[in-house]
Each structure stands twice: as structure tokens, then as C-alpha cells.
Amino acid sequence: MKLFTVGPTQMRKEILDVGGQMIPYFRTKEFSDIMLDSDAILRELMNAGDGAKSVYLTASGTAAMESAVMNCLTRDDKVLVIEGGTFGHRFVEICRIHRVPFVSLKLHSDETLTDAHLRKFDGQGITALLVNMDETSTGQLYNVKILSDFCRRNHCYFMVDAISSFLIDSYDMAGNGVDVTIVSSQKGMCIAPGLSVVVLSRRMIEERIENRRIDSLYFNYAAYLKDFERGQTPFTPCVGILLEMHHALHLIRDEGLSVFLKKIDTVAKDFRKRARELPVSLPSFPLSNAVTPLIFKDRIAQKVFEILKAEYVIFVNPTGGERAETVLRVAHIGDISTKDNEMLIAAMKEAIAKVSGK
Ligand SMILES: *Cc1c(COP(=O)(O)O)cnc(C)c1O
């Protein structure tokens, strides 16, 4: 089996070995030390900044997105949501459910986010910006600089879902004045799904989390921050995945973040070059190194996906919604190499020929 999917990813052997071990009891000094050690590395890798603190949630990425809105925003805010695809739309749904006032900047499926788009919202009393740095449904990697400048100009919070961007593309939380960074285990860290981390800036903690009451027991960040001072969580965490995280973060730090990112960049560029041999086009906007969307001329995407799965035991990402029949997405994270790209392109050529009856 080979996964060219954005999460879960093709996991490294070293991580699978950790996952295969007995889960230890966790209310111990030993486990606390592991958590505090992991957390220091995680914050260092994203340059979280002085006074930043993390919330470790046993939940998928969407729960982290929803809890960030619940804990950091109120019904008196006016949020700008970058709605460039299904994940941006998810923030819209979350704001709606929690009655957080918002305006949406909607992009069509091949539209690049520009500074001109953002300038239309200057001086409108925006109090927070919500964005999925890589909108994984389209593959667009937004320009962090224009988003960061918007937040500085408008003195608003900068809240980033970096789930498919952190540990994939370069990411600098403090350097870009980010107040909230959301990450999830199954994407950039390339470990099992089930863990999400929300890293909060000092100002977000001081201004919005401390002394705040929210209508939730499980998602109350203040309780998580308090327990994490000693490396613990209020409720039973996904201990096994946290041990995988500890191992994964050490592997990345030992290898060097820039070396780690460069490898992904090489695999992504190699695939994009080889994709020219296929009857597909690529989007015109800047792409994250996480995935390459392949846009087919004919409505064969779903059929190609099924053949790759059934005959080659290869998995790529199908696409939801209107583009289901025309777009497949190929991920470049996890334990995959340019050799694997070569194999995938060959399999795709055969699958396409088969579907097209040639
Ligand atoms: C994967 C992903 C999520 C989280 O999805 P879950 O299925 O809830 O883990 C959120 N945002 C982005 C940008 C993603 O790529």
C-alpha cells in the first residue's frame, strides 16, 4: 500500500514502531517530561514566540478550529474569514453556529488571494482574521505577508489553521504576528490522526483566554493551559499518538527543519514536473508543497482514483463537491520519494489509458 494522501500520510517505519508499543500510564512525571520536551520542540519549530502556550486536544483538526473560535472570539467580534474552499467554508459554518459575526472573502476555485482583495476590508472594524494557510481543498498556499500586513494595519488578531502547512511549507508564527496556530497530527507531523494542537500567542492568552468563561467543559482552553504547566491535560489524551509526536519531532529537529522541508519541496517539484506527461493541468495560484491538484480535461478523476486503489493499492486524494469528477490531489508529505513519484506517474498513465479506452 502506498499513500499519496495528505493525512493520514505514508508513515515512517520509526513512527510505526512507536505506534506498535504498549501504551503507558500517563499521570506520571515521566510522561509529563515527554510532553514538556515535545512542546518545547514544537514551539521552536514554528517560532511560536515568547510567552506562547499550547493546548493539546485529543480531537481532529476541525475540533481545534471550532474550539479556537469558541475560546478566542466572542459575539462582539467582527471576523474576516478567507473562504477559498471547503476548509475556509468550515470556519464560516463554525462562526455561524457560535454566532460570531463574520464577513467572508470568497474566492472561486482558480482565484489567487491578493492584497487588493484584503484592502477592501481595511477600516471595516475587523477584529480577527481566520485563514487556512494552505486551503487543502484547492492546494492554494496564501501569501502570509499580505495577511500579516492586513492584521497589523487593522490591529486585529491573526488566527491561522496551519494544519496542512506547518512542517510542510515554511511557517513563522511570531515573525508574522500570528496569535493562534492550529496543527493536527495526521498532516505535517505525519503521525496517526487524533491529536490537534492549538498554539496561542501571549497576547491572545492575556486578552482572551485568562478570566474567560466559555460554555464548554471539554474545550475550555484555560483548563488545558493550567494543567499543561506540569505537562498534563485535563482529560485522558491520545497517549500513543503523543509518543509518536515526541519521536517525530525529535527526528525532524535532529535532521534539521530546513533539510526536512527541502526534501518535501524536492518531491513536490519533481512530481509537478513529471505531471506534465499526464493529460492534466495545474491551478494558476501558488501551491503549498502539501498537495498538487491535477485537473483532468475529461470527467475521469473518480474512475482513475478507483483503478489506482483497486489495481495498484495506491491512494491519492479525491476531491469533494463539484470538482469530484475532474480533480485528484496528490500529496508530497510522509515517507515518499521521487522514485515513488515515478511509480505513481506510470500507474496513472496506465489508469488513464484504461479509463479512456485507449
Ligand atoms: C485536514 C485539515 C483539517 C482538519 O480536518 P479533520 O478531518 O477535522 O482532521 C482542517 N483544516 C485543514 C486546512 C486541513 O487540511
Side-chain angles (χ1 to χ4, degrees):
M1 179 162 74
K2 200 87 197 179
L3 300 186
F4 292 89
T5 50
V6 74
T9 60
Q10 183 77 25
M11 284 159 64
R12 292 164 78 156
K13 166 104 182 28
E14 300 96 309
I15 301 294
L16 296 175
D17 290 346
V18 175
Q21 279 165 28
M22 174 83 162
I23 306 294
Y25 180 63
F26 67 99
R27 297 288 188 205
T28 60
K29 167 92 171 53
E30 288 71 19
F31 188 70
S32 293
D33 288 346
I34 285 174
M35 288 302 294
L36 293 169
D37 181 50
S38 290
D39 186 56
I41 301 175
L42 183 78
R43 284 184 292 104
E44 173 195 312
L45 291 174
M46 65 173 67
N47 185 30
D50 288 342
K53 291 182 182 168
S54 318
V55 171
Y56 286 83
L57 295 169
T58 293
S60 93
T62 304
M65 293 165 71
E66 181 166 20
S67 64
V69 169
M70 291 164 70
N71 282 269
C72 302
L73 299 173
T74 75
R75 290 177 189 179
D76 296 323
D77 276 305
K78 182 173 176 188
V79 180
L80 174 61
V81 182
I82 308 301
E83 192 179 357
T86 57
F87 289 105
H89 183 67
R90 195 164 296 179
F91 270 136
V92 164
E93 290 182 294
I94 292 169
C95 287
R96 226 174 244 144
I97 288 168
H98 294 281
R99 300 203 188 94
V100 171
F102 68 91
V103 286
S104 144
L105 194 172
K106 210 163 174 166
L107 301 170
H108 62 72
S109 63
D110 199 29
E111 186 174 0
T112 308
L113 177 72
T114 64
D115 192 43
H117 284 121
L118 292 165
R119 290 207 177 257
K120 293 195 184 118
F121 294 90
D122 277 347
Q124 306 245 322
I126 300 294
T127 56
L129 174 72
L130 278 175
V131 63
N132 317 88
M133 196 49 74
D134 165 24
E135 170 51 77
T136 326
S137 65
T138 65
Q140 178 164 185
L141 178 67
Y142 297 129
N143 179 337
V144 65
K145 176 91 177 45
I146 61 172
L147 293 161
S148 167
D149 286 350
F150 174 85
C151 293
R152 287 200 173 109
R153 265 196 324 269
N154 290 277
H155 309 287
C156 73
Y157 293 117
F158 189 11
M159 300 174 63
V160 179
D161 164 0
I163 291 179
S164 63
S165 193
F166 174 59
L167 297 181
I168 299 170
D169 309 299
S170 63
Y171 186 78
D172 181 352
M173 179 169 173
N176 289 300
V178 176
D179 294 290
V180 177
T181 300
I182 299 169
V183 303
S184 227
S185 54
Q186 78 275 22
K187 304 274 173 82
M189 284 194 258
C190 300
I191 58 178
L195 166 73
S196 296
V197 193
V198 182
V199 183
L200 304 161
S201 70
R202 182 205 298 270
R203 89 163 169 163
M204 182 58 87
I205 295 167
E206 288 177 356
E207 296 173 8
R208 292 286 174 113
I209 308 297
E210 285 170 358
N211 309 315
R212 168 94 188 267
R213 274 203 47 198
I214 71 154
D215 292 332
S216 174
L217 178 76
Y218 193 79
F219 292 117
N220 183 352
Y221 283 3
Y224 283 83
L225 292 180
K226 183 166 175 292
D227 283 13
F228 203 73
E229 282 170 16
R230 56 187 175 96
Q232 289 284 327
T233 50
F235 313 106
T236 308
C238 45
V239 177
I241 305 172
L242 289 165
L243 293 174
E244 290 180 10
M245 174 178 77
H246 188 238
H247 203 76
L249 293 175
H250 270 276
L251 286 175
I252 295 167
R253 196 184 58 179
D254 292 351
E255 183 176 8
L257 180 60
S258 58
V259 176
F260 181 80
L261 295 180
K262 180 77 193 140
K263 262 201 218 156
I264 300 171
D265 186 64
T266 302
V267 172
K269 287 208 171 87
D270 172 79
F271 181 80
R272 286 165 193 169
K273 200 167 92 203
R274 290 178 199 271
R276 291 190 205 131
E277 298 165 25
L278 301 173
V280 299
S281 59
L282 269 51
S284 59
F285 44 62
L287 290 173
S288 160
N289 277 340
V291 279
T292 301
L294 300 175
I295 307 165
F296 290 84
K297 289 186 191 74
D298 303 324
R299 298 178 64 78
I300 59 171
Q302 203 59 39
K303 290 203 188 87
V304 171
F305 170 84
E306 291 297 339
I307 292 178
L308 290 176
K309 182 179 83 159
E311 295 179 20
Y312 299 87
V313 204
I314 288 176
F315 290 81
V316 296
N317 280 108
T319 302
E322 283 163 17
R323 294 148 72 234
E325 292 293 345
T326 52
V327 181
L328 288 178
R329 292 166 304 145
V330 175
H332 312 301
I333 56 176
D335 195 12
I336 46 181
S337 64
T338 54
K339 264 249 159 315
D340 295 317
N341 284 344
E342 196 179 330
M343 180 271 293
L344 174 62
I345 294 282
M348 286 190 102
K349 280 184 186 165
E350 289 175 12
I352 291 166
K354 196 170 257 181
V355 175
S356 314
K358 282 174 202 148

